[in-house]
Amino acid sequence: MNNFYTLIYLNREIKEKIQNGIFSFGISPHKDVLHIYIESDKETSRLIFSANARETALFLDRYRPPKKRNVIDFFPSLEGARVVDTSLADKDRLLSIIFEGGRSLLFKLFSGRPNVFLVEGDRIVDAFKNPEDLKGTSPPEPMAPVFKEEVSAGRNAKNQMTEINPLLPRNLLPYIIEEHEVEQMSPGKVKTFTRELSRSLLEEPHPRVLETGDFCLWSQKWLSLPSEKECETVNDCVAFAYKNAVHLRRLHSKKEDIVQFLERVEGKKKEMVRQLSQAEKSLNRADEYEKFGHLLMAHAHEQLTPGTEQITVEDFYENNDEITIPLKEQADIAGNAERYYEKAKDARKAYEEAKKRLPGEEKELLHVQSLLEEVREIDRLWDLDSWLKNNSESLNKLGFGSSDDKQLSSPYRKFKLGKYEVWIGKNAKSNDKLTSLAHKEDIWLHARGVGGSHTVIRMGNRKDYPPKRVLLQAAAYAAYYSKARGMKSVPVMYTKCKYVRKPKGGAPGAVVLEREEVEMVPPMNPNNQ
């Protein structure tokens, strides 16, 4: 979202708004989001920075009064300081707001760990993320990429273009390459085309947000993808793209929980309908049990040898063919006949109950499938909230947010990895409870050979394993919450929860694994991701 060319224009637009303004305060109303309020004679500006690695962004937003409660203050030593300038590093995504006295806020807008550093001299004195680890260290230095003069023949078009200009927004290059057939160009033509494309970013900016959600500075002349929004300033389009991305993430997270729940209910309903639809088998069994009873009663006068498990008699219903009937060892022939009459009665009762239940279950299945179809079509968060409100009664009856689904509101540490939820225990008793609540198809992880937290990847009853990147990241979390946290690489074992059991009389947190696999991972604090 904030590539280098975007920052060129943002730096100018932000500077115009906040230069000579006074740092009022900085707060974090949400995780990974910093709001900085800067007052000038004309207005109060609100500068928003997102340190979320998937949604890194910096932009000015319209003024909104700050929250009064449950917020954390940042950079209090800057309060009352005047902004004297802003500066963008040469060919790198490092933007500074410079205050009187030489102090500056340095915004790092790249890598998996974006951050804001308060810099004084050549040292970091405070930071938005992980301040205690960073105080006293050197701030990141600009690292301008290498620009080549010539294109390497034989490489694909994207690599050739980024050799000439490594600062091009790479997320948009596949569209550019396809539209302009760059793959068919000679190396010399690629070089000329890339330089013209780069020049347009500096001299002919056309800020817009594409329908794909991507921010773009190229006009339709260069990239004919349709726009969702066109803006007069780069800042306005960055703000729109960021809010749109946050909206989609929240929508996806909330929607995914509902879809997974309804899919589980749909699976159970389908299985119930399948079983009830086979009720005729109960009726057939009832006829067979009753026949066994009649045949046994015809031999009720006979004595059984103790331990007899079956008897062979003539079946007068089928031309006196021989038939073998299983027996209950503890009963005589008459007692076994009575048992088969009872089984026939129960089977007929099950058939009648199935006939009564089947229409209702089929109706409920259709209703669940209708809910699934509706929720899958929703593409706006406020529409999803409205849908939840309108269908709250139906969802409550199905058990959403209660009964089996209560696991989803567990009090343990919980983190999201895409659509997967990760649970991490807090202590030995918590580990026991966590593992006992997990579904048999969930993935269980633990640092090998050392004490630590039980970690579970929720699989939503899916029988496969999650993508390898999800497994490795959850393993890194398990390594972090173990006594091996200080190691560079930690062996973490993992398996399905169905292969994890607690030994009889075992201490809190103790388990036995029937099978396991191991991955070597570096410890990773999920709170920093």
Side-chain angles (χ1 to χ4, degrees):
M1 194 177 300
N2 284 127
N3 65 61
F4 180 73
Y5 288 99
T6 307
L7 289 175
I8 290 174
Y9 298 100
L10 272 177
N11 180 48
R12 297 172 189 171
E13 294 170 9
I14 290 172
K15 180 177 180 178
E16 183 180 348
K17 284 281 188 180
I18 70 171
Q19 191 171 26
N20 294 317
I22 302 296
F23 185 101
S24 184
F25 55 88
I27 60 172
S28 180
H30 312 290
K31 182 184 177 183
D32 294 332
V33 177
L34 175 67
H35 289 193
I36 294 174
Y37 286 77
I38 297 178
E39 294 184 2
S40 66
D41 295 337
K42 297 179 181 179
E43 60 182 335
T44 299
S45 298
R46 184 166 64 112
L47 186 66
I48 295 179
F49 171 70
S50 168
N52 186 309
R54 294 173 297 173
E55 297 153 2
T56 308
L58 179 69
F59 60 93
L60 285 166
D61 202 7
R62 64 182 180 276
Y63 175 78
R64 180 181 298 167
K67 290 184 176 181
K68 300 297 183 182
R69 298 179 180 176
N70 301 321
V71 297
I72 302 173
D73 290 315
F74 286 88
F75 310 119
S77 65
L78 279 179
E79 292 177 8
R82 185 178 299 278
V83 177
V84 296
D85 201 0
T86 67
S87 174
L88 179 63
D90 181 34
K91 300 181 179 61
D92 204 353
R93 288 168 291 169
L94 291 167
L95 189 149
S96 296
I97 298 177
I98 303 164
F99 296 87
E100 58 188 357
R103 292 175 297 172
S104 62
L105 281 179
L106 176 62
F107 293 81
K108 178 185 174 186
L109 292 131
F110 59 91
S111 83
R113 295 183 177 180
N115 207 343
V116 187
F117 314 100
L118 176 57
V119 179
E120 190 167 349
D122 61 352
R123 286 290 178 263
I124 295 172
V125 296
D126 201 356
F128 176 47
K129 306 281 289 185
N130 307 314
E132 296 306 318
D133 296 336
L134 294 167
K135 285 179 180 178
T137 64
S138 299
E141 294 286 340
M143 297 181 64
V146 176
F147 292 75
K148 293 189 176 181
E149 290 296 323
E150 299 298 332
V151 170
S152 300
R155 302 195 75 186
N156 63 39
K158 184 175 181 179
N159 287 337
Q160 289 180 334
M161 294 175 73
T162 53
E163 281 182 331
I164 299 298
N165 184 357
L167 298 176
L168 290 172
R170 301 189 181 211
N171 60 315
L172 298 179
L173 288 186
Y175 303 118
I176 291 282
I177 291 167
E178 181 180 3
E179 182 167 335
H180 294 273
E181 300 181 342
V182 183
E183 291 285 6
Q184 280 70 53
M185 294 181 185
S186 65
K189 181 70 173 175
V190 172
K191 173 182 173 181
T192 302
F193 175 77
T194 303
R195 287 182 171 168
E196 283 296 306
L197 191 68
S198 302
R199 182 194 60 77
S200 70
L201 290 172
L202 288 173
E203 300 177 11
E204 302 170 358
H206 191 94
R208 57 195 180 112
V209 179
L210 306 178
E211 288 186 356
T212 60
D214 295 297
F215 174 83
C216 178
L217 281 172
W218 283 305
S219 67
Q220 291 278 344
K221 167 188 169 183
W222 291 101
L223 188 57
S224 61
L225 290 179
S227 303
E228 182 174 353
K229 185 177 180 62
E230 298 191 10
C231 309
E232 292 185 6
T233 67
V234 167
N235 184 86
D236 288 350
C237 268
V238 169
F240 179 86
Y242 168 75
K243 292 173 184 177
N244 197 41
V246 171
H247 172 271
L248 290 175
R249 172 171 55 84
R250 291 175 180 169
L251 170 69
H252 175 79
S253 177
K254 198 168 187 177
K255 182 175 171 179
E256 190 69 20
D257 286 344
I258 300 166
V259 168
Q260 287 185 6
F261 169 78
L262 289 175
E263 285 176 343
R264 291 198 297 271
V265 175
E266 181 191 33
K268 292 175 183 178
K269 293 292 180 186
K270 280 183 175 179
E271 178 61 20
M272 180 59 68
V273 168
R274 186 190 68 79
Q275 292 177 9
L276 294 176
S277 298
Q278 297 175 347
E280 293 290 342
K281 291 182 179 179
S282 294
L283 204 55
N284 293 335
R285 285 196 298 270
D287 292 340
E288 182 182 42
Y289 294 151
E290 190 170 61
K291 183 173 79 168
F292 286 175
H294 293 336
L295 293 175
L296 289 174
M297 286 304 293
H299 296 269
H301 60 283
E302 298 180 13
Q303 295 294 317
L304 291 175
T305 302
T308 301
E309 296 181 356
Q310 60 186 31
I311 186 173
T312 300
V313 298
E314 292 182 348
D315 183 357
F316 46 76
Y317 293 100
E318 296 289 341
N319 300 318
N320 291 327
D321 293 338
E322 286 190 342
I323 184 172
T324 298
I325 303 173
L327 300 175
K328 207 174 181 77
E329 297 177 29
Q330 295 86 351
D332 57 14
I333 292 180
N336 273 286
E338 184 62 30
R339 184 171 68 87
Y340 277 114
Y341 288 141
E342 285 296 321
K343 286 168 71 74
K345 180 181 176 183
D346 290 342
R348 288 196 173 94
K349 183 178 179 181
Y351 169 73
E352 293 299 326
E353 288 180 352
K355 280 206 313 183
K356 291 178 182 177
R357 285 187 60 190
L358 182 57
E361 292 291 342
E362 288 177 328
K363 184 177 180 181
E364 284 193 16
L365 173 59
L366 288 173
H367 180 54
V368 170
Q369 290 173 330
S370 174
L371 291 174
L372 257 175
E373 186 177 345
E374 289 174 5
V375 76
R376 283 173 176 151
E377 292 295 319
I378 294 174
D379 58 7
R380 295 187 299 181
L381 188 59
W382 46 87
D383 287 340
L384 182 62
D385 290 337
S386 177
W387 182 89
L388 279 169
K389 184 177 180 180
N390 293 336
N391 292 282
S392 59
E393 186 176 347
S394 294
L395 291 170
N396 288 338
K397 285 181 179 178
L398 292 171
F400 183 67
S402 59
S403 64
D404 291 341
D405 207 53
K406 280 183 179 177
Q407 297 181 56
L408 297 175
S409 57
S410 169
Y412 309 104
R413 299 183 185 97
K414 296 198 299 184
F415 302 95
K416 276 282 189 180
L417 284 176
K419 67 180 181 180
Y420 295 91
E421 188 170 65
V422 177
W423 291 357
I424 302 177
K426 295 181 178 179
N427 50 49
K429 289 184 178 180
S430 172
N431 284 339
D432 273 351
K433 199 165 186 180
L434 173 71
T435 302
S436 68
L437 283 175
H439 188 274
K440 66 179 182 179
E441 297 296 341
D442 291 346
I443 311 300
W444 183 93
L445 308 95
H446 195 287
R448 192 175 195 179
V450 296
S453 294
H454 292 202
T455 301
V456 166
I457 304 173
R458 298 283 292 156
M459 293 300 297
N461 207 25
R462 293 186 297 275
K463 295 185 178 180
D464 56 346
Y465 273 75
K468 193 65 175 282
R469 60 176 178 78
V470 172
L471 185 66
L472 292 177
Q473 197 159 351
Y477 294 172
Y480 179 82
Y481 284 106
S482 77
K483 292 186 177 179
R485 178 187 298 189
M487 297 173 60
K488 288 186 177 180
S489 189
V490 178
V492 174
M493 51 190 178
Y494 67 93
T495 188
K496 289 276 190 177
C497 283
K498 60 187 175 185
Y499 302 124
V500 181
R501 63 180 176 83
K502 185 167 182 63
K504 188 174 182 179
V511 294
V512 175
L513 307 186
E514 295 180 17
R515 62 180 72 176
E516 66 181 76
E517 295 184 64
V518 176
E519 291 284 354
M520 297 296 295
V521 294
M524 185 184 299
N525 184 351
N527 293 302
N528 294 341
Q529 304 309 306

